[in-house]
Amino acid sequence: MKLIEFIRMALASILDNRLRSFLTMLGIMIGVGAVILLISMTTGFREYLVRQFMGIGTNLIIVNPGKTETKGLGHPGFEGVQKMTIGDTIALRRNATALEGVSSITVGTADVRYVNRERRVMIVGTDEVFVKIISIGVDSGGFFTSEDVDASRRVCTIGYTVKNELFGGKNPLGEIIKIGGSGFRVIGIMEKKGTFMGTDDFDDVVYIPVPAAQTLFNTDRLIGIRAKARSAAMIDEAKEQIRVILKKRHNNKEDFTILTQGSLLSSLDSILNALSAVLAGIAAISLLVGGIGIMNIMLVTVKERTREIGIRKAVGATKRDILLQFLLESMILSLMGGVVGILIAFTGGVVLSRFLPQMPPLMEPWVIALATLFSGGVGIFFGVYPAYRAAHQDPIEALRYE
Amino acid sequence: MKSDPLICFEDVKKVYGSGPIRVDALANINLRIVHGEFIAILGPSGSGKSTLMNIIGCLDRPTTGRYLLENVDVSGLSDEALAHIRNKKIGFVFQMFNLLRKQTALENVQLPLLYSGVDQKARREKGLLVLKKMGLEGRWNHRPNELSGGECQRVAIARALITDPPILLADEPTGNLDTKTGIDILSLFKTLNREEGVTLILVTHNPEIAKEARRRIYIQDGKIVEDTGGGEP
C-alpha cells in the first residue's frame, strides 16, 4: 500500500522537474537505445548470414586442402600440403557411404569472349554432381553430364550476368565462346542466384568440366571438394569417413580441412560473440555514465528537499520510508530512460530496415527484458547513496534547513 | 489513568559536543506533565527550550536520564521506534508551518496517515474531517502558496491532529502571523485543549501568549528556573 503511494510520490517529483528529469534520463536513454540498436543490427546480420549459408544447400560438407587447426573461416595456404585431386573425389564417391554426392571444384579467372565482347569472369571447373549439391538450378539448356566431364568436353554453362553481358538479348545456347583462347560451346544458362554475402557474384560465373578447367589453368589440383551428406544426422559420420579416406590417400597426413555449414556458423558465431562482448562493454560504460548522472541529480534533489525530509520525519516517516522514496525515484527515473531508449532503438530499427531490407535489425525479447532490468538496476545502484544520505538526515537539522 | 503522568523527565541531560566545545543544553531536568495540561515553555533563545521540545517530541534523545512517555521509557529507543512514536503520539506545529509546497492542503494533512499505513480512502475521509474542524473545508485543494498564513497554520494544526495524538507540540506557532490571526490560532489551541483534552505544549518567548497557558515553565541555561500554575488541570 505504502509502495504504491511512494511510486506516486516519485512520479510526481519527476514530473515536477520535467526538464531536469529528461536531461538526467538522457544518458541512460542514449546508452540503452544505441546498444540495443547495435545488438539488433548484429542479430539481423547473423540471421542474414544464416539464410545465406543455408541457401547454398543442405547438409553441405566443404573439404579444402591444408589444415587449419581451428574452425576458422580463413583459406589455408598450400605449403607442405599434398595437393587435392580428382582422384580424391573419386575415392570419396566410391567409399564414403554417408555421402550422397561428391563434387570437385577448381576455380580461376579468365577472359571470356564472344564475337567482339569480352569479360573477365570467374571460371568454376566442376562436375555434374555440383548442381545436385549446391542449390542452384539451370534456367535453360542443361548442366554438363558425367560423359562431358569424363571426356573433358569443351562445353560450358554460363551464369546470368555473363549471358547478359556477352549476349544481350540473343539466345546463347549452342554458341561458341572463347575462354582463355579455347572455344567452349554454351549448353546451359544458370538461374539468377544473386550475390553471396555481398562479395562473389554467383551469376558472373562460367561453369566448365573440371578436367577442361585443369587444362585451361595448367594444373591438376583442386581448390576443394564439395560433398553432401545423406541427411543432417549423417553429417558427423560423413565427416569421419572423409577424414579416414583422404588421410589414407595422403600418406596418413591430415593435410585438409573439413568444414560444414554448422562449423561455419559456429565460427561466425564466435566472431559475433566477440562483437557482442564489445557491445556489452559499451553498454556497461554508457550505463555507468548514465548512472553517475542520476546519482549526481539525486544528490542535488536530496539537498534541495532537506526540509521536506525533515517534515516527513517529524510526522513519522522512518529512515526506511525516506530511503524507499528516494530509491524509487532514482529507479523510476532510470527505468523511464531505459524504456525511452528501447523505443528509440525500436524506431531506429524500423528506419534502418528500410535502408537494409536484406538484413533488417532484429530486436529480440530477451534484449528488451535485459535492458529494462539493467536500467532499473542502475537506478537502484546509483540511487542507494543519495537515498541513504536522505534517510540519515537529522530531522532537527533538516527542519531548520533553509 | 488520568493521574499517571503523560510525560515524565527524570534527570534528563542533553550535552552537545565534548571537551572545550561542550555545551550543556539541558542540565538535570525533572518534569511531569499530565494529560490535558496546557503548558507554555518560555525562555530566551539559547536557553534550551528548543532542545527540551525536541526531546519531548522524540526528535532527539537525552544524553543521560530517562524520558517516560505514557510510562514507556523512550530515551533508548531506536530511530525507527521514535518515528512511530512521533507518528502516533505527537503532533507538531511549527513557526514556519513546514507544509510541503507542492502538495495540496488535503495531501499535507494526510501525510502522517501515509506513514501509519492507512489506506487512501480512509486518509482522505479523515483529512477532510480534520480540515473541516479547522474551518478549511473549502480550501482542501489549495496549495500552501494559495493560502494565507493563518490558513497555512490551520492546515499544519490539522496535520498535527490527524492521528489523534495525545500531545500537541507547538513551536512559536504565532511567530509568523499578524496579531489578530495569532489570537485566532491561539484560541483554536485553547478550544482543542478544553474540548478535546489534547495536552498542549507551546514553546514561545512571548509572555503575552504564555499568559494564556495554565502552566508556565521558564527555562534558562538549560535549567527550569520557574514552574508556575502546575497541578492537575
Side-chain angles (χ1 to χ4, degrees):
Chain A
M1 212 51 219
K2 259 191 196 177
L3 199 67
I4 296 169
E5 204 58 42
F6 285 168
I7 290 171
R8 209 185 57 78
M9 262 154 51
L11 284 173
S13 161
I14 289 167
L15 290 177
D16 262 341
N17 282 301
R18 265 163 236 248
L19 180 65
R20 184 159 91 183
S21 303
F22 171 76
L23 291 174
T24 309
M25 279 188 250
L26 210 56
I28 300 279
M29 240 158 74
I30 294 172
V32 167
V35 168
I36 291 187
L37 190 56
L38 287 171
I39 290 174
S40 310
M41 284 171 72
T42 312
T43 313
F45 181 59
R46 184 186 184 277
E47 286 297 303
Y48 166 75
L49 290 184
V50 168
R51 272 198 308 277
Q52 294 277 341
F53 275 136
M54 294 312 167
I56 320 170
T58 46
N59 309 329
L60 199 65
I61 300 173
I62 296 160
V63 187
N64 288 332
K67 181 74 189 161
T68 46
E69 286 306 325
T70 54
K71 48 194 174 162
L73 276 168
H75 201 284
F78 288 98
E79 288 97 280
V81 169
Q82 197 178 327
K83 59 197 175 190
M84 199 166 270
T85 61
I86 294 176
D88 291 326
T89 307
I90 291 164
L92 288 177
R93 275 186 194 153
R94 202 168 287 154
N95 301 321
T97 51
L99 294 180
E100 198 181 292
V102 185
S103 175
S104 309
I105 303 279
T106 189
V107 173
T109 46
D111 291 324
V112 177
R113 191 179 174 86
Y114 175 70
V115 195
N116 54 357
R117 291 205 205 193
E118 199 174 71
R119 183 174 178 78
R120 196 163 181 84
V121 297
M122 182 162 84
I123 309 294
V124 175
T126 184
D127 49 44
E128 76 287 352
V129 184
F130 183 78
V131 280
K132 289 174 192 138
I133 294 175
I134 307 291
S135 45
I136 181 167
V138 179
D139 182 60
S140 59
F143 207 71
F144 34 83
T145 62
S146 59
E147 290 81 37
D148 294 329
V149 176
D150 291 343
S152 187
R153 279 186 196 131
R154 297 218 291 239
V155 291
C156 65
T157 303
I158 61 174
Y160 194 81
T161 309
V162 179
K163 178 209 146 198
N164 278 351
E165 292 297 323
L166 292 187
F167 294 94
K170 198 178 166 200
N171 183 7
L173 289 180
E175 300 293 329
I176 304 288
I177 58 173
K178 294 262 187 192
I179 302 174
S182 317
F184 280 76
R185 188 157 50 83
V186 178
I187 59 164
I189 299 148
M190 301 303 278
E191 270 174 4
K192 192 168 164 40
K193 185 74 177 171
T195 56
F196 173 67
M197 287 166 70
T199 53
D200 297 316
D201 187 347
F202 263 49
D203 298 324
D204 205 4
V205 171
V206 173
Y207 296 91
I208 60 176
V210 62
Q214 286 178 330
T215 309
L216 185 69
F217 300 129
N218 192 25
T219 179
D220 58 350
R221 292 176 193 274
L222 297 179
I223 67 120
I225 291 170
R226 303 289 177 266
K228 181 176 178 156
R230 290 191 189 279
S231 69
M234 288 175 90
I235 287 177
D236 285 337
E237 193 186 338
K239 278 171 76 175
E240 184 55 21
Q241 288 179 354
I242 293 170
R243 204 178 63 79
V244 170
I245 293 164
L246 289 187
K247 207 170 158 184
K248 208 166 138 193
R249 285 179 51 83
H250 288 220
N251 302 328
N252 227 13
K253 261 170 67 189
E254 202 174 321
D255 55 0
F256 50 87
T257 303
I258 303 168
L259 296 171
T260 59
Q261 283 160 306
S263 65
L264 284 174
L265 272 185
S266 67
S267 50
L268 171 72
D269 277 340
S270 65
I271 295 168
L272 290 182
N273 284 344
L275 187 64
S276 297
V278 173
L279 287 180
I282 297 172
I285 292 168
S286 68
L287 286 179
L288 182 76
V289 172
I292 290 169
I294 285 176
M295 181 152 96
N296 190 19
I297 286 301
M298 286 310 295
L299 284 171
V300 172
T301 302
V302 167
K303 189 90 183 155
E304 276 181 357
R305 286 156 68 185
T306 302
R307 208 180 175 87
E308 176 193 326
I309 294 163
I311 295 167
R312 289 183 185 276
K313 282 197 158 186
V315 303
T318 60
K319 281 181 181 172
R320 211 178 133 266
D321 290 330
I322 302 290
L323 187 87
L324 208 58
Q325 181 190 343
F326 284 93
L327 209 51
L328 276 168
E329 194 169 318
S330 69
M331 190 195 82
I332 291 171
L333 201 61
S334 180
L335 205 58
M336 282 168 88
V339 169
V340 176
I342 291 168
L343 292 177
I344 289 174
F346 183 79
T347 315
V350 170
V351 172
L352 266 180
S353 57
R354 285 180 175 274
F355 294 100
L356 295 168
Q358 281 179 312
M359 42 182 118
L362 207 72
M363 205 192 268
E364 289 179 297
W366 71 266
V367 176
I368 297 170
L370 208 65
T372 311
L373 212 68
F374 264 87
S375 47
V378 161
I380 293 174
F381 183 80
F382 287 96
V384 165
Y385 178 63
Y388 176 88
R389 289 250 300 231
H392 284 78
Q393 296 262 14
D394 174 19
I396 299 166
E397 292 291 321
L399 280 168
R400 233 180 263 152
Y401 186 84
E402 289 303 317
Chain B
M1 188 69 205
K2 267 273 169 187
S3 57
D4 265 356
L6 174 63
I7 290 167
C8 183
F9 273 44
E10 293 175 0
D11 290 326
V12 167
K13 249 192 209 177
K14 184 70 191 179
V15 180
Y16 291 113
S18 60
I21 53 157
R22 180 185 154 116
V23 176
D24 288 20
L26 291 179
N28 288 61
I29 299 279
N30 285 286
L31 182 67
R32 281 166 65 95
I33 296 170
V34 295
H35 281 278
E37 283 198 82
F38 178 7
I39 300 170
I41 296 175
L42 287 120
S45 62
S47 59
K49 61 183 193 305
S50 290
T51 306
L52 181 63
M53 189 177 128
N54 287 337
I55 292 176
I56 293 174
C58 292
L59 286 165
D60 207 349
R61 293 187 190 86
T63 311
T64 58
R66 296 211 308 162
Y67 168 21
L68 301 169
L69 177 62
E70 290 186 325
N71 287 325
V72 177
D73 187 359
V74 298
S75 30
L77 292 182
S78 67
D79 288 349
E80 177 103 3
L82 287 181
H84 288 307
I85 289 173
R86 289 198 294 274
N87 187 246
K88 298 274 187 308
K89 305 280 183 203
I90 295 161
F92 285 97
V93 178
F94 302 93
Q95 179 178 0
M96 303 293 293
F97 320 137
N98 276 340
L99 299 174
L100 298 179
R101 281 182 301 120
K102 287 178 176 161
Q103 303 208 346
T104 63
L106 182 60
E107 286 168 329
N108 266 293
V109 169
Q110 291 177 9
L111 196 61
L113 290 183
L114 171 70
Y115 293 111
S116 9
V118 175
D119 72 68
Q120 197 173 355
K121 190 163 167 278
R123 281 208 308 267
R124 191 184 161 84
E125 277 170 15
K126 187 73 196 273
L128 286 169
L129 193 77
V130 190
L131 277 172
K132 194 176 173 197
K133 205 155 87 180
M134 293 296 116
L136 290 167
E137 55 265 66
R139 313 289 279 162
W140 65 271
N141 202 21
H142 289 259
R143 284 172 218 283
N145 60 353
E146 301 159 344
L147 297 171
S148 71
E151 284 172 327
C152 281
Q153 200 57 301
R154 281 166 194 268
V155 172
I157 295 167
R159 180 179 66 191
L161 291 173
I162 197 163
T163 55
D164 297 315
I167 305 165
L168 203 57
L169 267 180
D171 186 2
E172 302 278 10
T174 58
N176 254 24
L177 303 172
D178 60 74
T179 316
K180 189 191 168 298
T181 316
I183 290 166
D184 287 349
I185 293 292
L186 203 63
S187 67
L188 184 63
F189 275 129
K190 282 160 75 178
T191 312
L192 285 169
N193 174 251
R194 200 173 50 240
E195 288 174 13
E196 318 247 335
V198 180
T199 307
L200 193 60
I201 303 171
L202 213 142
V203 176
T204 183
H205 63 265
N206 184 344
E208 290 298 311
I209 290 165
K211 255 195 280 182
E212 303 287 332
R214 247 166 292 146
R215 179 179 171 189
R216 284 170 294 280
I217 298 171
Y218 294 89
I219 304 230
Q220 206 164 357
D221 298 326
K223 295 185 195 82
I224 297 177
V225 291
E226 206 183 322
D227 187 348
T228 57
E232 306 296 310

